[in-house]
Coordinates of all heavy atoms in Angstrom, one line a residue:
M1 N 22.9 -24.2 -95.7 CA 21.5 -24.5 -96.2 C 21.6 -24.9 -97.7 O 22.4 -24.4 -98.5 CB 20.6 -23.3 -96.1 CG 19.1 -23.6 -96.3 SD 18.1 -22.1 -95.9 CE 18.0 -22.3 -94.1
A2 N 20.7 -25.8 -98.1 CA 20.7 -26.3 -99.5 C 20.2 -25.2 -100.4 O 19.5 -24.3 -100.0 CB 19.8 -27.5 -99.6
K3 N 20.6 -25.3 -101.7 CA 20.1 -24.3 -102.6 C 19.4 -25.0 -103.8 O 19.9 -26.1 -104.2 CB 21.2 -23.4 -103.1 CG 21.7 -22.4 -102.1 CD 22.6 -21.4 -102.6 CE 22.8 -20.3 -101.6 NZ 24.0 -19.5 -101.8
C4 N 18.4 -24.3 -104.4 CA 17.8 -24.9 -105.6 C 18.8 -24.8 -106.7 O 19.4 -23.8 -107.0 CB 16.6 -24.0 -105.9 SG 15.8 -24.5 -107.5
K5 N 18.9 -26.0 -107.4 CA 19.8 -26.1 -108.5 C 19.4 -25.2 -109.7 O 20.2 -24.8 -110.5 CB 19.9 -27.5 -109.0 CG 20.7 -28.4 -108.1 CD 20.9 -29.7 -108.8 CE 21.3 -30.8 -107.8 NZ 20.5 -32.0 -107.8
S6 N 18.1 -24.9 -109.7 CA 17.6 -24.2 -110.8 C 17.6 -22.7 -110.7 O 18.1 -22.0 -111.6 CB 16.1 -24.6 -111.0 OG 15.5 -23.8 -112.0
C7 N 17.2 -22.1 -109.5 CA 17.1 -20.7 -109.3 C 18.1 -20.2 -108.3 O 18.3 -19.0 -108.1 CB 15.7 -20.2 -109.0 SG 15.2 -20.7 -107.4
G8 N 18.7 -21.0 -107.5 CA 19.7 -20.6 -106.5 C 19.1 -20.2 -105.2 O 19.8 -19.8 -104.3
A9 N 17.8 -20.3 -105.0 CA 17.1 -19.9 -103.8 C 17.4 -20.9 -102.7 O 17.6 -22.1 -103.0 CB 15.6 -19.8 -104.0
E10 N 17.5 -20.5 -101.5 CA 17.7 -21.4 -100.4 C 16.5 -22.3 -100.2 O 15.3 -21.8 -100.2 CB 18.0 -20.6 -99.1 CG 19.4 -20.0 -99.2 CD 19.8 -19.3 -97.8 OE1 18.9 -18.9 -97.1 OE2 21.0 -19.2 -97.6
I11 N 16.7 -23.5 -99.9 CA 15.6 -24.5 -99.7 C 15.9 -25.4 -98.5 O 17.1 -25.5 -98.1 CB 15.3 -25.4 -101.0 CG1 16.6 -26.1 -101.4 CG2 14.7 -24.6 -102.1 CD1 16.4 -27.1 -102.5
V12 N 14.9 -26.0 -98.0 CA 15.1 -27.0 -97.0 C 14.4 -28.3 -97.5 O 13.5 -28.2 -98.3 CB 14.4 -26.6 -95.6 CG1 15.1 -25.5 -95.0 CG2 12.9 -26.4 -95.8
W13 N 15.0 -29.4 -97.1 CA 14.4 -30.7 -97.5 C 13.6 -31.2 -96.4 O 14.1 -31.4 -95.2 CB 15.6 -31.7 -97.8 CG 16.3 -31.3 -99.0 CD1 17.5 -30.6 -99.1 CD2 16.0 -31.6 -100.4 NE1 17.9 -30.4 -100.4 CE2 17.0 -31.1 -101.2 CE3 15.0 -32.4 -101.0 CZ2 17.0 -31.2 -102.6 CZ3 15.0 -32.5 -102.3 CH2 15.9 -31.9 -103.1
V14 N 12.3 -31.5 -96.6 CA 11.4 -32.0 -95.6 C 11.1 -33.4 -96.0 O 10.7 -33.7 -97.1 CB 10.1 -31.2 -95.6 CG1 9.1 -31.8 -94.6 CG2 10.3 -29.7 -95.3
E15 N 11.4 -34.3 -95.0 CA 11.1 -35.7 -95.3 C 9.7 -36.1 -95.3 O 9.0 -35.8 -94.3 CB 11.9 -36.6 -94.3 CG 11.8 -38.1 -94.7 CD 12.7 -39.0 -93.8 OE1 13.6 -38.5 -93.2 OE2 12.4 -40.2 -93.9
M16 N 9.2 -36.6 -96.4 CA 7.8 -37.0 -96.5 C 7.5 -38.3 -95.9 O 8.4 -39.1 -95.6 CB 7.4 -37.1 -98.0 CG 7.7 -35.8 -98.8 SD 6.8 -34.4 -98.2 CE 5.1 -34.8 -98.7
Q17 N 6.2 -38.6 -95.6 CA 5.9 -39.9 -95.0 C 6.2 -41.0 -95.9 O 6.4 -42.1 -95.4 CB 4.4 -39.8 -94.5 CG 4.2 -38.8 -93.4 CD 3.0 -38.9 -92.6 OE1 2.0 -39.5 -93.2 NE2 3.0 -38.5 -91.4
S18 N 6.3 -40.7 -97.2 CA 6.7 -41.8 -98.1 C 8.2 -42.1 -98.0 O 8.6 -43.0 -98.7 CB 6.4 -41.3 -99.5 OG 7.2 -40.2 -99.9
G19 N 8.9 -41.3 -97.3 CA 10.4 -41.5 -97.2 C 11.2 -40.6 -98.2 O 12.4 -40.5 -98.1
K20 N 10.5 -40.0 -99.1 CA 11.1 -39.1 -100.1 C 11.3 -37.7 -99.4 O 10.5 -37.3 -98.5 CB 10.3 -38.9 -101.3 CG 10.3 -40.2 -102.2 CD 9.5 -39.9 -103.5 CE 9.5 -41.2 -104.3 NZ 8.4 -41.1 -105.3
A21 N 12.3 -37.0 -99.9 CA 12.5 -35.6 -99.4 C 11.9 -34.6 -100.4 O 12.1 -34.7 -101.6 CB 13.9 -35.3 -99.2
M22 N 11.2 -33.6 -99.9 CA 10.6 -32.6 -100.7 C 11.3 -31.3 -100.5 O 11.5 -30.8 -99.4 CB 9.1 -32.4 -100.3 CG 8.4 -31.3 -101.0 SD 7.9 -31.7 -102.6 CE 6.3 -32.5 -102.2
P23 N 11.8 -30.6 -101.6 CA 12.4 -29.3 -101.5 C 11.4 -28.3 -101.2 O 10.4 -28.2 -101.9 CB 13.1 -29.1 -102.8 CG 12.4 -29.9 -103.8 CD 11.8 -31.1 -103.0
C24 N 11.6 -27.5 -100.1 CA 10.6 -26.5 -99.7 C 11.3 -25.2 -99.4 O 12.5 -25.1 -99.1 CB 9.9 -26.9 -98.4 SG 8.8 -28.4 -98.6
D25 N 10.5 -24.1 -99.5 CA 11.0 -22.8 -99.1 C 11.3 -22.8 -97.6 O 10.6 -23.4 -96.8 CB 10.0 -21.7 -99.4 CG 10.0 -21.4 -100.9 OD1 10.8 -22.0 -101.7 OD2 9.1 -20.7 -101.4
P26 N 12.4 -22.2 -97.1 CA 12.8 -22.3 -95.7 C 11.9 -21.7 -94.7 O 11.8 -22.0 -93.6 CB 14.2 -21.7 -95.7 CG 14.3 -20.9 -96.9 CD 13.4 -21.4 -97.9
A27 N 11.1 -20.7 -95.2 CA 10.2 -20.0 -94.2 C 9.0 -20.9 -93.8 O 8.4 -21.6 -94.7 CB 9.6 -18.8 -94.9
I28 N 8.7 -21.0 -92.5 CA 7.6 -21.8 -92.1 C 6.4 -20.8 -91.9 O 6.6 -19.7 -91.4 CB 7.9 -22.5 -90.8 CG1 7.0 -23.7 -90.5 CG2 8.0 -21.6 -89.6 CD1 7.5 -24.7 -89.6
I29 N 5.3 -21.2 -92.5 CA 4.2 -20.3 -92.5 C 2.9 -20.9 -92.0 O 2.8 -22.1 -92.0 CB 3.9 -19.8 -94.0 CG1 3.6 -20.9 -94.9 CG2 5.1 -18.9 -94.5 CD1 3.1 -20.5 -96.3
M30 N 1.9 -20.1 -91.7 CA 0.6 -20.6 -91.2 C -0.2 -21.0 -92.4 O -0.2 -20.4 -93.4 CB -0.1 -19.4 -90.4 CG 0.2 -19.5 -88.9 SD -1.1 -18.5 -88.1 CE 0.0 -17.2 -87.5
Y31 N -1.0 -22.0 -92.1 CA -2.0 -22.4 -93.2 C -3.3 -22.7 -92.6 O -3.5 -23.0 -91.4 CB -1.4 -23.6 -94.0 CG -1.4 -24.9 -93.2 CD1 -2.4 -25.8 -93.3 CD2 -0.3 -25.2 -92.4 CE1 -2.4 -27.0 -92.6 CE2 -0.2 -26.4 -91.7 CZ -1.3 -27.3 -91.8 OH -1.2 -28.4 -91.1
W32 N -4.3 -22.7 -93.5 CA -5.7 -23.1 -93.1 C -6.1 -24.2 -94.0 O -6.4 -24.0 -95.2 CB -6.6 -21.8 -93.3 CG -6.4 -20.8 -92.3 CD1 -7.2 -20.5 -91.2 CD2 -5.3 -19.8 -92.2 NE1 -6.7 -19.5 -90.5 CE2 -5.6 -19.0 -91.1 CE3 -4.2 -19.5 -93.0 CZ2 -4.7 -18.0 -90.7 CZ3 -3.4 -18.5 -92.6 CH2 -3.6 -17.8 -91.5
A33 N -6.2 -25.4 -93.5 CA -6.5 -26.6 -94.3 C -7.9 -26.4 -95.0 O -8.8 -26.0 -94.3 CB -6.5 -27.8 -93.5
S34 N -8.0 -26.8 -96.2 CA -9.3 -26.6 -97.0 C -9.2 -27.6 -98.2 O -8.3 -27.5 -99.0 CB -9.5 -25.2 -97.4 OG -10.5 -25.1 -98.4
I35 N -10.3 -28.4 -98.3 CA -10.3 -29.3 -99.5 C -10.4 -28.5 -100.8 O -10.0 -29.1 -101.8 CB -11.4 -30.4 -99.4 CG1 -12.7 -29.7 -99.1 CG2 -11.1 -31.4 -98.3 CD1 -13.9 -30.7 -99.2
K36 N -10.9 -27.3 -100.7 CA -11.0 -26.5 -101.9 C -9.8 -25.5 -102.0 O -9.8 -24.6 -102.8 CB -12.3 -25.7 -101.9 CG -13.5 -26.6 -102.1 CD -14.8 -25.8 -102.2 CE -15.1 -25.3 -100.8 NZ -16.4 -24.6 -100.8
G37 N -8.8 -25.7 -101.2 CA -7.7 -24.8 -101.1 C -6.9 -24.7 -102.4 O -6.8 -25.7 -103.2
R38 N -6.4 -23.5 -102.7 CA -5.7 -23.3 -104.0 C -4.2 -23.6 -103.8 O -3.4 -23.5 -104.7 CB -5.9 -21.9 -104.4 CG -7.3 -21.6 -104.9 CD -7.5 -20.1 -104.9 NE -7.5 -19.6 -103.5 CZ -7.4 -18.3 -103.3 NH1 -7.3 -17.4 -104.2 NH2 -7.3 -17.9 -102.0
H39 N -3.7 -23.9 -102.6 CA -2.3 -24.0 -102.3 C -2.1 -25.4 -101.7 O -3.0 -26.1 -101.2 CB -1.8 -23.0 -101.3 CG -2.0 -21.6 -101.8 ND1 -1.2 -20.9 -102.7 CD2 -3.1 -20.7 -101.7 CE1 -1.6 -19.7 -103.0 NE2 -2.8 -19.6 -102.4
T40 N -0.8 -25.8 -101.7 CA -0.4 -27.0 -101.0 C 0.7 -26.7 -100.0 O 1.6 -25.8 -100.3 CB 0.2 -28.0 -102.1 OG1 -0.8 -28.2 -103.1 CG2 0.7 -29.3 -101.5
I41 N 0.6 -27.3 -98.8 CA 1.6 -27.1 -97.8 C 2.1 -28.4 -97.4 O 1.4 -29.4 -97.4 CB 1.0 -26.3 -96.6 CG1 2.0 -25.6 -95.8 CG2 0.2 -27.2 -95.7 CD1 2.1 -24.1 -96.1
I42 N 3.4 -28.4 -97.0 CA 4.0 -29.6 -96.4 C 4.2 -29.4 -94.9 O 4.8 -28.5 -94.5 CB 5.4 -29.9 -97.1 CG1 5.3 -29.9 -98.6 CG2 6.0 -31.2 -96.6 CD1 4.4 -30.9 -99.2
T43 N 3.6 -30.3 -94.1 CA 3.7 -30.1 -92.7 C 5.0 -30.6 -92.2 O 5.7 -31.4 -92.9 CB 2.6 -30.9 -91.9 OG1 2.9 -32.2 -92.0 CG2 1.2 -30.6 -92.5
P44 N 5.5 -30.2 -91.0 CA 6.8 -30.7 -90.5 C 6.8 -32.2 -90.3 O 7.8 -32.8 -90.3 CB 6.9 -29.9 -89.2 CG 6.1 -28.7 -89.3 CD 5.0 -29.1 -90.2
N45 N 5.6 -32.8 -90.3 CA 5.5 -34.3 -90.2 C 5.6 -35.0 -91.5 O 5.5 -36.2 -91.6 CB 4.1 -34.7 -89.6 CG 4.0 -34.2 -88.2 OD1 5.0 -34.1 -87.5 ND2 2.7 -34.0 -87.8
G46 N 5.7 -34.2 -92.6 CA 5.8 -34.8 -93.9 C 4.5 -35.1 -94.6 O 4.4 -36.0 -95.5
E47 N 3.4 -34.4 -94.2 CA 2.1 -34.6 -94.9 C 1.9 -33.5 -95.8 O 2.2 -32.4 -95.6 CB 1.0 -34.6 -93.8 CG 1.0 -35.9 -92.9 CD 0.0 -35.8 -91.9 OE1 0.2 -35.0 -90.9 OE2 -1.0 -36.5 -91.9
T48 N 1.2 -33.8 -96.9 CA 0.8 -32.8 -97.9 C -0.6 -32.4 -97.6 O -1.5 -33.3 -97.5 CB 0.9 -33.4 -99.3 OG1 2.2 -34.0 -99.5 CG2 0.6 -32.4 -100.4
V49 N -0.9 -31.1 -97.5 CA -2.2 -30.7 -97.2 C -2.6 -29.6 -98.1 O -1.9 -28.7 -98.4 CB -2.2 -30.0 -95.7 CG1 -3.6 -29.6 -95.3 CG2 -1.7 -31.0 -94.7
R50 N -3.9 -29.7 -98.6 CA -4.5 -28.7 -99.5 C -5.0 -27.6 -98.5 O -5.6 -27.8 -97.5 CB -5.7 -29.2 -100.2 CG -5.4 -29.9 -101.5 CD -6.2 -29.2 -102.6 NE -5.6 -29.4 -103.9 CZ -4.8 -28.4 -104.5 NH1 -4.7 -27.3 -103.9 NH2 -4.3 -28.7 -105.6
C51 N -4.7 -26.4 -98.9 CA -5.0 -25.3 -97.9 C -5.1 -23.9 -98.6 O -4.8 -23.8 -99.8 CB -3.8 -25.2 -96.9 SG -2.3 -24.7 -97.6
E52 N -5.5 -23.0 -97.8 CA -5.4 -21.6 -98.1 C -4.3 -21.0 -97.2 O -3.9 -21.6 -96.2 CB -6.7 -20.8 -97.7 CG -7.9 -21.3 -98.6 CD -7.8 -20.9 -100.0 OE1 -6.9 -20.1 -100.4 OE2 -8.7 -21.4 -100.8
L53 N -3.7 -19.9 -97.7 CA -2.5 -19.3 -97.0 C -2.9 -18.0 -96.2 O -2.1 -17.3 -95.7 CB -1.4 -19.1 -97.9 CG -0.8 -20.3 -98.5 CD1 0.4 -20.0 -99.4 CD2 -0.4 -21.4 -97.5
D54 N -4.2 -17.8 -96.2 CA -4.6 -16.6 -95.3 C -6.0 -17.0 -94.7 O -6.7 -17.9 -95.1 CB -4.7 -15.3 -96.1 CG -5.5 -15.5 -97.4 OD1 -6.6 -16.1 -97.4 OD2 -5.0 -15.1 -98.5
G55 N -6.3 -16.3 -93.7 CA -7.5 -16.5 -92.9 C -7.4 -15.9 -91.5 O -6.6 -15.1 -91.3
D56 N -8.3 -16.3 -90.7 CA -8.4 -15.8 -89.3 C -7.2 -16.4 -88.5 O -7.1 -17.6 -88.4 CB -9.7 -16.2 -88.7 CG -9.9 -15.7 -87.3 OD1 -8.9 -15.2 -86.7 OD2 -11.0 -15.9 -86.8
L57 N -6.4 -15.5 -88.0 CA -5.2 -16.0 -87.2 C -5.5 -16.9 -86.1 O -4.8 -17.8 -85.7 CB -4.4 -14.8 -86.7 CG -3.7 -13.9 -87.7 CD1 -2.9 -12.8 -87.0 CD2 -2.7 -14.7 -88.6
N58 N -6.7 -16.7 -85.5 CA -7.1 -17.6 -84.4 C -7.6 -18.9 -84.8 O -7.7 -19.8 -83.9 CB -8.2 -16.9 -83.6 CG -7.8 -15.6 -82.9 OD1 -6.7 -15.5 -82.4 ND2 -8.6 -14.6 -83.0
S59 N -7.8 -19.2 -86.1 CA -8.3 -20.5 -86.5 C -7.4 -21.2 -87.4 O -7.8 -22.1 -88.2 CB -9.7 -20.3 -87.1 OG -9.6 -19.5 -88.3
S60 N -6.1 -20.8 -87.5 CA -5.2 -21.5 -88.4 C -5.1 -22.9 -88.0 O -5.2 -23.3 -86.9 CB -3.9 -20.8 -88.4 OG -3.2 -21.1 -87.3
T61 N -4.9 -23.8 -89.0 CA -4.7 -25.2 -88.8 C -3.4 -25.5 -88.2 O -3.2 -26.4 -87.3 CB -4.8 -26.0 -90.1 OG1 -6.0 -25.5 -90.8 CG2 -4.9 -27.5 -89.9
G62 N -2.3 -24.8 -88.6 CA -1.0 -25.1 -88.1 C 0.0 -24.3 -89.0 O -0.3 -23.4 -89.7
V63 N 1.2 -24.8 -88.9 CA 2.3 -24.2 -89.7 C 3.0 -25.3 -90.6 O 2.9 -26.5 -90.2 CB 3.4 -23.5 -88.8 CG1 2.8 -22.3 -88.1 CG2 4.0 -24.5 -87.8
G64 N 3.5 -24.9 -91.7 CA 4.2 -25.8 -92.5 C 5.0 -25.1 -93.6 O 5.2 -23.9 -93.5
Y65 N 5.5 -25.8 -94.6 CA 6.4 -25.3 -95.6 C 5.7 -25.3 -96.9 O 4.9 -26.2 -97.3 CB 7.6 -26.2 -95.7 CG 8.5 -26.2 -94.4 CD1 8.3 -27.3 -93.5 CD2 9.4 -25.2 -94.2 CE1 9.1 -27.3 -92.4 CE2 10.2 -25.3 -93.0 CZ 10.0 -26.3 -92.1 OH 10.8 -26.4 -91.0
V66 N 6.0 -24.3 -97.7 CA 5.6 -24.2 -99.1 C 6.5 -25.0 -100.0 O 7.7 -24.8 -99.9 CB 5.5 -22.7 -99.6 CG1 5.0 -22.7 -101.1 CG2 4.6 -21.9 -98.7
P67 N 6.0 -26.0 -100.8 CA 6.9 -26.7 -101.7 C 7.6 -25.7 -102.6 O 7.0 -24.8 -103.1 CB 6.0 -27.6 -102.5 CG 4.7 -27.6 -101.7 CD 4.6 -26.4 -100.9
H68 N 8.9 -25.9 -102.8 CA 9.6 -24.9 -103.6 C 9.1 -24.9 -105.0 O 9.2 -23.8 -105.7 CB 11.1 -25.3 -103.6 CG 11.9 -24.2 -104.4 ND1 11.9 -22.9 -104.1 CD2 12.7 -24.4 -105.5 CE1 12.7 -22.3 -105.0 NE2 13.1 -23.1 -105.9
W69 N 8.6 -26.0 -105.6 CA 8.1 -25.9 -106.9 C 6.9 -24.9 -107.1 O 6.6 -24.5 -108.2 CB 7.7 -27.3 -107.5 CG 6.8 -28.1 -106.6 CD1 7.2 -29.2 -105.9 CD2 5.4 -28.0 -106.4 NE1 6.2 -29.8 -105.2 CE2 5.0 -29.0 -105.5 CE3 4.4 -27.1 -106.8 CZ2 3.7 -29.2 -105.1 CZ3 3.1 -27.3 -106.4 CH2 2.8 -28.3 -105.5
A70 N 6.3 -24.6 -106.0 CA 5.2 -23.6 -106.0 C 5.7 -22.2 -106.2 O 5.0 -21.3 -106.7 CB 4.3 -23.7 -104.8
T71 N 6.9 -21.9 -105.8 CA 7.4 -20.5 -105.8 C 8.7 -20.4 -106.7 O 9.1 -19.3 -107.0 CB 7.9 -20.1 -104.4 OG1 8.9 -20.9 -103.9 CG2 6.7 -20.1 -103.4
C72 N 9.2 -21.5 -107.2 CA 10.5 -21.4 -108.0 C 10.2 -20.7 -109.3 O 9.2 -21.1 -110.0 CB 11.0 -22.8 -108.3 SG 12.6 -22.8 -109.2
P73 N 10.9 -19.7 -109.7 CA 10.7 -19.0 -111.0 C 11.0 -20.0 -112.1 O 10.5 -19.7 -113.2 CB 11.6 -17.8 -110.9 CG 12.6 -18.1 -109.9 CD 12.0 -19.0 -108.9
N74 N 11.7 -21.0 -111.9 CA 12.1 -22.0 -112.9 C 11.4 -23.3 -112.8 O 11.9 -24.3 -113.2 CB 13.6 -22.2 -113.0 CG 14.3 -20.9 -113.2 OD1 13.9 -20.0 -113.9 ND2 15.5 -20.8 -112.5
A75 N 10.2 -23.2 -112.2 CA 9.4 -24.5 -111.9 C 9.2 -25.3 -113.2 O 9.3 -26.6 -113.1 CB 8.1 -24.2 -111.3
A76 N 9.1 -24.7 -114.3 CA 8.8 -25.4 -115.5 C 10.0 -26.3 -115.8 O 9.9 -27.4 -116.3 CB 8.6 -24.5 -116.7
Q77 N 11.2 -25.9 -115.5 CA 12.4 -26.7 -115.7 C 12.5 -27.9 -114.8 O 12.9 -28.9 -115.2 CB 13.7 -25.8 -115.4 CG 14.0 -24.8 -116.5 CD 15.3 -24.0 -116.2 OE1 16.1 -24.5 -115.5 NE2 15.4 -22.9 -116.8
H78 N 12.0 -27.7 -113.6 CA 11.9 -28.9 -112.7 C 11.1 -30.0 -113.3 O 11.5 -31.1 -113.3 CB 11.3 -28.5 -111.3 CG 12.1 -27.6 -110.5 ND1 13.1 -28.2 -109.6 CD2 12.1 -26.3 -110.3 CE1 13.6 -27.2 -109.0 NE2 13.1 -26.0 -109.3
R79 N 10.0 -29.6 -113.9 CA 9.1 -30.6 -114.5 C 9.7 -31.2 -115.7 O 9.7 -32.4 -115.9 CB 7.8 -30.0 -114.9 CG 6.9 -29.6 -113.7 CD 5.5 -29.4 -114.0 NE 4.9 -28.6 -112.9 CZ 4.7 -27.3 -112.9 NH1 5.0 -26.6 -114.0 NH2 4.2 -26.7 -111.9
R80 N 10.4 -30.4 -116.5 CA 11.0 -31.0 -117.7 C 12.1 -32.0 -117.4 O 12.2 -33.0 -118.1 CB 11.5 -29.8 -118.6 CG 11.8 -30.3 -120.0 CD 12.0 -29.1 -120.9 NE 13.0 -28.2 -120.5 CZ 12.9 -26.8 -120.6 NH1 11.9 -26.3 -121.1 NH2 13.9 -26.1 -120.1
R81 N 12.8 -31.7 -116.3 CA 14.0 -32.6 -116.0 C 13.5 -33.9 -115.5 O 14.2 -34.9 -115.6 CB 14.9 -31.9 -115.0 CG 15.8 -31.0 -115.6 CD 16.7 -30.2 -114.6 NE 17.3 -29.1 -115.3 CZ 17.9 -28.1 -114.6 NH1 17.8 -28.1 -113.3 NH2 18.4 -27.1 -115.2
K82 N 12.3 -34.0 -114.9 CA 11.8 -35.2 -114.4 C 11.2 -36.1 -115.4 O 11.4 -36.5 -116.4 CB 10.6 -35.0 -113.4 CG 11.2 -34.9 -112.0 CD 10.2 -34.8 -110.9 CE 10.8 -34.6 -109.6 NZ 9.8 -34.3 -108.6
Ligands
LIG108 ZN1 14.2 -22.8 -107.6

């Protein structure tokens, strides 16, 4: 499995519909799509969705990956390098 160059955490690369690969946390989690959502999820199809990460289990939108920049303790470094 790939690792984050910055913090060493395991990551997976999810291919986006744009053709680019997005580093994400390897755990696949449930999400609830919401235009006012405070979180971003990457679906296995490579779509970016605004969402909440908790809600009624019976009404979840689907499952996806959390972009690693959302959880990386060194996220600021990712931005600086770009
Ligand atoms: Zn990291």
Side-chain angles (χ1 to χ4, degrees):
M1 193 174 278
K3 287 193 173 160
C4 174
K5 283 188 198 128
S6 172
C7 72
E10 290 186 333
I11 53 172
V12 292
W13 291 94
V14 179
E15 188 172 339
M16 305 298 291
Q17 294 196 335
S18 65
K20 290 183 182 164
M22 172 80 83
C24 294
D25 288 354
I28 199 160
I29 59 169
M30 265 197 247
Y31 70 93
W32 286 259
S34 165
I35 51 171
K36 291 184 288 184
R38 291 161 294 164
H39 300 276
T40 302
I41 203 102
I42 309 298
T43 71
N45 294 334
E47 289 175 289
T48 307
V49 181
R50 273 235 158 262
C51 66
E52 297 291 351
L53 296 181
D54 49 49
D56 182 350
L57 290 182
N58 294 318
S59 64
S60 74
T61 310
V63 293
Y65 298 96
V66 178
H68 182 61
W69 48 255
T71 61
C72 183
N74 301 326
Q77 286 181 22
H78 287 278
R79 289 198 198 99
R80 196 164 55 216
R81 279 177 195 163
K82 268 188 185 172

